[in-house]
Amino acid sequence: MRKINIAIDGHSSCGKSTLAKVIAEKFNYIYIDTGAMYRAVALYFMQNDILQNGIIELTKVATALNHIEVSFCYNSKTNKSETLLNGQNVENEIRGMQVSENVSKVSQLKEVRSKLVSLQQILGKEKGVVMDGRDIGTVVFPDAELKIFLTALPEIRIKRRYNELQSKGIKVSLEEVSKNINERDFNDQHRTENPLKKAPDAIEIDNSNLSLEEQNKMVLNLVQEKISE
Ligand code: DC
């Protein structure tokens, strides 16, 4: 069976990473969460006073990027891949509201995107990768053999994200989550650099009314068909 690259794009909190992990496990593929990479860069900018009070010191961005290394490690206790920023595990910090509120400002910068897109392309060079994000099927792997564009109604995505944060013990109101998701949707779709859009050859799946099992079955069949071609 041939090895392919699988691109999963879509709006914030529509279950892209959950789906990508299911595919990776089933087919023994490498899962790469590109949102985590943008989040790690945002965290570095926040920690190093390049991003303060929502404003980025643009003159410092290029130099800062030379000092940032984003990688992943496997946590055998949780069975999950975790994000490292310059060798330090930042998996928890990058998921919090502070980073969520600032990440769109960082992900719209051309220099940031170009650095992370190159890194993502290297990671997928040997194929056998499932990558989720906003521009994977359009920019990172325009020739990916399978492209999924996942979406769900905003109110459903907000509720799912709220429940996820609650389950992690992160204190946040439904209104805050709603504001954050609406803002990120808007920024992702309207930025100049690589905005979120469906690749013409992507298969769109709206999972608002699908159970996880239904969605996974549908996508695993699509993958199976592609790798058997
Ligand atoms: O998938 P996520 O919510 O963890 O992504 C965090 C932010 O990074 C999100 O607001 C959009 C941005 N992002 C992006 O611009 N391009 C990607 N390939 C992945 C994420």
Side-chain angles (χ1 to χ4, degrees):
M1 256 180 290
R2 65 181 187 142
K3 274 205 166 190
I4 63 170
N5 277 341
I6 302 165
I8 304 182
D9 290 302
H11 295 99
S12 292
S13 301
C14 61
K16 298 184 295 295
S17 64
T18 308
L19 175 62
K21 282 180 212 157
V22 170
I23 299 173
E25 190 164 329
K26 170 89 182 172
F27 293 96
N28 207 11
Y29 271 34
I30 296 166
Y31 163 55
I32 294 160
D33 173 357
T34 64
M37 299 167 94
Y38 288 95
R39 286 171 180 270
V41 173
L43 180 66
Y44 182 93
F45 283 10
M46 289 159 69
Q47 288 173 338
N48 290 277
D49 299 335
I50 296 157
L51 199 172
Q52 289 185 85
N53 304 320
I55 295 166
I56 298 180
E57 183 71 71
L58 291 172
T59 54
K60 293 184 180 167
V61 168
T63 311
L65 287 174
N66 290 328
H67 295 106
I68 297 178
E69 198 191 285
V70 181
S71 54
F72 296 99
C73 70
Y74 181 71
N75 182 336
S76 56
K77 279 193 202 133
T78 56
N79 250 350
K80 281 183 186 155
S81 163
E82 297 184 344
T83 313
L84 305 180
L85 170 61
N86 293 334
Q88 204 187 333
N89 193 319
V90 291
E91 189 55 34
N92 287 337
E93 288 97 313
I94 62 166
R95 305 294 168 191
M97 281 309 281
Q98 270 195 320
V99 170
S100 294
E101 277 164 10
N102 285 294
V103 65
S104 301
K105 294 180 192 98
V106 173
S107 65
Q108 73 190 13
L109 298 178
K110 192 175 180 165
E111 297 101 308
V112 172
R113 301 207 72 82
S114 121
K115 175 174 169 128
L116 295 186
V117 166
S118 306
L119 184 56
Q120 290 152 12
Q121 287 171 333
I122 293 169
L123 293 170
K125 230 170 80 186
E126 307 296 327
K127 306 249 175 187
V129 158
V130 50
M131 197 175 272
D132 81 324
R134 306 294 188 287
D135 58 346
I136 312 305
T138 50
V139 177
V140 181
F141 299 132
D143 54 355
E145 289 81 354
L146 179 62
K147 300 179 186 176
I148 307 281
F149 190 85
L150 202 59
T151 186
L153 291 169
E155 58 268 31
I156 292 189
R157 292 187 283 119
I158 290 162
K159 196 77 217 290
R160 286 180 189 157
R161 176 91 178 123
Y162 174 76
N163 290 342
E164 184 194 338
L165 290 170
Q166 295 291 310
S167 72
K168 287 182 179 161
I170 298 173
K171 288 223 179 321
V172 65
S173 69
L174 195 59
E175 290 67 35
E176 281 174 290
V177 175
S178 167
K179 183 169 173 283
N180 180 249
I181 290 203
N182 288 328
E183 274 174 11
R184 283 201 291 145
D185 279 356
F186 184 88
N187 292 339
D188 287 345
Q189 282 165 310
H190 293 92
R191 67 173 174 239
T192 323
E193 296 300 323
N194 311 352
L196 166 67
K197 54 176 191 247
K198 177 179 170 287
D201 52 345
I203 298 167
E204 180 162 344
I205 299 176
D206 181 333
N207 65 18
S208 304
N209 296 308
L210 289 179
S211 69
L212 261 187
E213 289 70 27
E214 286 169 326
Q215 168 193 275
N216 294 347
K217 195 170 163 214
M218 185 188 288
V219 176
L220 291 174
N221 282 339
L222 289 171
V223 178
Q224 186 62 54
E225 274 170 27
K226 275 287 167 196
I227 60 176
S228 313
E229 269 175 14

